[in-house]
Amino acid sequence: MPGTELFGNEERKEINDVMETGMLFRYNHDQQRNGIWKAREFEAEVRKITGAKYAHAVSNGSAAIAIALAATGIGTGDEVIVPPFTFIASVEAVLFVGAIPIFAEIDETLCLSAEGIKNAITPNTKAVCLVHMCGGMADMDGIMQVVNENNLVLVEDAGQAFSATYKGTAVGLFGKTGSYSFDYFKIATAGEGGIFVTNDEETYKLADAYSDHGHSHVGNNRGMEPHHVLGFNYRISELHAAVALAQTRKVPQIREANQKNKQLLTEILSETEGISFSHLPDPSGDSATFLNLLLPDTETAKRTVDELNKAGIGGFNYWFTNMYHFINQWDHLKKMSAVAKLPAQVLGAAQDYNNLHLPKTQEVIGRLISFGIRCTWTENEIKALANNIAGCVKKAMPVMA
C-alpha cells in the first residue's frame, strides 16, 4: 500500500480545514467555505505533477476511466481494444458505456503491445483502452504509430501508474483522455478517489459536466445552471480531496524513495539464476511501485509462489490466479452475467470470451510475480527481502539431470 506510507499531520490539517467550514460538497456555497476548495487544489497538484492542461477529480479511478471513455464519445456498439491483464474496472467501464471489449495480447511491458493492438483491429474498432500496469508504462512509440495509422481514439487508464512518464511525458497524456486512481493501494491515496486528465478543453468540459449530472458549473446558483448534456454522479467529496491533496504533494519524494529501493532489490536479485524482470520502455520514468519478476516458465513461478508462502513472505501477487486482474478468472465476464442487461448482450460480442487465443499473454502472466515497493524500507529490510526471494526461487528452479 504505497500511498499509506506517509500519512500524518499534513492530511489531518487538510481535513480540518474542510471540517471547520462544514462544507463537504465540492461545488458552490462560496461564502460558507471561506476560500477552502480542496478538490480544486488537488486538481492543480495533479496538473503540476503530470503537466496536464486539465484535470478533474472524481469519486474513484473506475469512475475516472468511465468518464475518460465517455468524454471521447465512446458508446453503444463501439469496439474498444482492451488488455486481458488489468484490474477488471477497465473492462467494466467499456461495457457500462455500452461499448464492446476486444481483448488483445500484452507483452513483457505487462501492457498491450503494438503488435497485439494491430492484430486485434477490425473495421468496427473505434478505440484502444490502454492500461499502464504495475507502475510502469507501455511502449508508447510503437502503440502511437498503430493508433495514428488506424485513426483510433486512445484512452489511457494509468490508475496504477500515477507519476510514471515515458520520454518525459506523463502516462495518461498520450491519448485524448487519461485517468488515475487514488484508492487505498496506489502511490497516493484519497481512500477513494480518481482523476480525469486531458489536454483538450472541449473534452474537459464534457467530462466536467458528465461527471455531475450534466451541470455546466456556470455561475454560483447550482439550481439554475445550464445543462447541455446528460450525466451522472461521479463527484469527489471535499474530504476525500483533502486527503488526496496532502498525499499528492508527497508523490515526488515517495517516487524517489521507491526508485532507490527498487534499484537495490533489482541489483541483488539480478544475480539469481532464473530471475528476469518486466520490460520498462523508459526505466527513468518508472513510478517504481512494483518490482515485477519474470520466472523462466509458469511451473517455476507456481513453485516459487509455494516457496514464498512456506517462508511466510508476503507483499506479492501471483496474477495468473488473481481473481480480479486476469481474464482466466473472469467467469462472470465470460458468461456475461450482469445485474442489468448490457448493450454488449443485445448487440453480441465480437469475440468468444470463453475461447480467446492469447498465448503471449498466458505465457507472460504465468511467469509473473509482483512485489509491492515500500518507500519506508531500510537497506537492511531490502537486503533481507531480496535474499529471501532469491532463496525461494533457487528452491523452485528445476534440477537439471
Side-chain angles (χ1 to χ4, degrees):
M1 294 171 287
T4 66
E5 310 290 10
L6 302 176
F7 189 89
N9 292 332
E10 296 91 340
E11 286 79 6
R12 294 186 185 94
K13 177 189 177 300
E14 300 297 342
I15 291 170
N16 287 338
D17 285 349
V18 175
M19 296 305 293
E20 286 176 5
T21 68
M23 183 44 59
L24 278 58
F25 192 65
R26 73 158 294 175
Y27 295 112
N28 306 102
H29 306 280
D30 298 35
Q31 291 182 338
Q32 184 177 342
R33 57 177 75 244
N34 212 17
I36 303 298
W37 300 88
K38 296 304 178 186
R40 292 182 183 178
E41 288 188 73
F42 173 34
E43 291 159 352
E45 201 66 27
V46 168
R47 290 197 303 271
K48 182 168 72 174
I49 288 176
T50 63
K53 290 183 180 178
Y54 304 97
H56 183 61
V58 293
S59 53
N60 53 63
S62 303
I65 185 59
I67 293 163
L69 289 161
T72 61
I74 304 301
T76 300
D78 293 329
E79 289 186 7
V80 180
I81 293 173
V82 298
F85 176 51
T86 175
F87 184 57
I88 196 170
S90 312
V91 181
E92 290 170 333
V94 171
L95 286 167
F96 291 136
V97 297
I100 312 294
I102 302 294
F103 290 95
E105 292 271 38
I106 69 165
D107 59 16
E108 283 82 0
T109 64
L110 312 183
C111 309
L112 286 170
S113 66
E115 181 181 4
I117 293 170
K118 185 176 181 179
N119 291 338
I121 294 172
T122 77
N124 298 319
T125 305
K126 182 170 182 179
V128 177
C129 181
L130 175 64
V131 184
H132 299 279
M133 285 298 290
C134 297
M137 72 294 292
D139 171 19
M140 294 313 303
D141 284 348
I143 288 172
M144 291 308 299
Q145 182 176 343
V146 173
V147 166
N148 292 331
E149 286 176 353
N150 292 275
N151 196 30
L152 300 177
V153 175
L154 178 63
V155 176
E156 292 174 82
D157 182 345
Q160 295 188 6
F162 179 64
S163 80
T165 61
Y166 178 84
K167 297 183 179 180
T169 298
V171 298
L173 293 180
F174 287 87
K176 190 169 185 181
T177 59
S179 65
Y180 307 108
S181 173
F182 286 77
D183 75 13
Y184 187 59
F185 301 98
K186 301 304 188 289
I187 192 171
T189 181
E192 285 287 0
I195 283 275
F196 162 90
V197 290
T198 184
N199 285 327
D200 183 76
E201 183 178 10
E202 289 305 311
T203 304
Y204 163 72
K205 289 179 179 178
L206 286 173
D208 179 54
Y210 179 74
S211 63
D212 184 26
H213 300 294
H215 280 277
S216 60
H217 306 125
V218 173
N220 58 11
N221 186 339
R222 184 169 174 82
M224 295 302 295
E225 292 174 9
H227 295 71
H228 303 294
V229 296
L230 292 168
F232 202 61
N233 180 8
Y234 295 113
R235 294 186 303 265
I236 194 171
S237 77
E238 284 288 275
L239 279 178
H240 287 93
V243 177
L245 170 61
Q247 285 266 300
T248 303
R249 286 175 178 153
K250 299 173 184 177
V251 165
Q253 70 188 87
I254 294 173
R255 182 173 181 262
E256 182 179 1
N258 283 351
Q259 289 179 332
K260 178 181 176 183
N261 293 346
K262 181 174 179 177
Q263 179 63 31
L264 180 55
L265 262 178
T266 301
E267 289 173 359
I268 298 171
L269 289 172
S270 295
E271 300 175 0
T272 300
E273 181 184 357
I275 293 179
S276 61
F277 306 93
S278 64
H279 175 58
L280 286 166
D282 180 6
S284 66
D286 188 13
S287 71
T289 51
F290 284 92
L291 176 68
N292 300 300
L293 308 183
L294 290 174
L295 281 300
D297 52 56
T298 299
E299 293 308 312
T300 303
K302 288 180 177 179
R303 289 195 297 269
T304 300
V305 169
D306 289 340
E307 293 296 337
L308 291 167
N309 286 327
K310 287 178 191 175
I313 300 171
F316 70 90
N317 284 290
Y318 183 51
W319 306 109
F320 195 65
T321 57
N322 184 280
M323 294 298 292
Y324 266 75
H325 288 79
F326 190 45
I327 197 167
N328 285 10
Q329 282 66 246
W330 294 347
D331 290 341
H332 54 335
L333 171 76
K334 295 172 186 178
K335 297 174 183 177
M336 292 301 284
S337 299
V339 176
K341 190 180 293 184
L342 297 168
Q345 293 172 291
V346 177
L347 300 172
Q351 289 176 314
D352 179 356
Y353 298 145
N354 284 290
N355 294 289
L356 293 171
H357 183 63
L358 300 168
K360 180 63 175 179
T361 297
Q362 295 291 334
E363 180 257 326
V364 170
I365 303 305
R367 298 164 53 210
L368 174 66
I369 302 175
S370 299
F371 284 82
I373 303 294
R374 302 185 75 92
C375 68
T376 55
W377 277 336
T378 66
E379 185 173 327
N380 287 338
E381 287 174 328
I382 294 169
K383 290 179 177 178
L385 176 60
N387 290 331
N388 286 335
I389 294 171
C392 291
V393 172
K394 290 174 184 176
K395 290 180 181 178
M397 286 289 288
V399 177
M400 305 303 292

